[in-house]
Amino acid sequence: MVRRRVPPVTLALVAVGLVTGGLWWWAVLRLLLVPGDTGAVEGAVAAGGWGLSLLPVHVAASVRRQAGGVRESGGGPAVTKASRRRRWGAGSGPS
């Protein structure tokens, strides 16, 4: 079996993500189970985590079409050779 070494930066990011997720769950459960004892910090943490969960849906790189089948996105141009035109009755052609 091949053992791969995980970079320390990756381990640190995973640890930060787990701690942040744990804090968010703690705030949400505290808001649900003991709403009278919660303060502004728990509300801000819960609302902030919920707001961050919406980012992947609403924030995406826009794709602009250029002449010649070149598409530009946030990461740079992506070139495609696929034809977008329909070929009715001409067969599938070489692929």
Side-chain angles (χ1 to χ4, degrees):
M1 175 154 75
V2 176
R3 289 194 142 197
R4 294 184 185 175
R5 188 173 166 92
V6 179
V9 173
T10 303
L11 291 175
L13 287 175
V14 169
V16 167
L18 288 173
V19 168
T20 305
L23 287 174
W24 182 81
W25 275 108
W26 170 78
V28 168
L29 289 175
R30 206 163 137 79
L31 278 170
L32 290 175
L33 299 176
V34 226
D37 290 342
T38 56
V41 173
E42 286 93 348
V45 169
W50 178 79
L52 285 175
S53 72
L54 296 178
L55 277 179
V57 175
H58 297 288
V59 178
S62 62
V63 176
R64 296 181 304 177
R65 291 190 181 263
Q66 301 282 325
V70 176
R71 297 183 303 162
E72 279 190 25
S73 64
V79 180
T80 179
K81 295 180 180 178
S83 174
R84 294 219 173 255
R85 291 180 287 157
R86 301 227 182 231
R87 302 179 202 167
W88 298 105
S92 63
S95 9

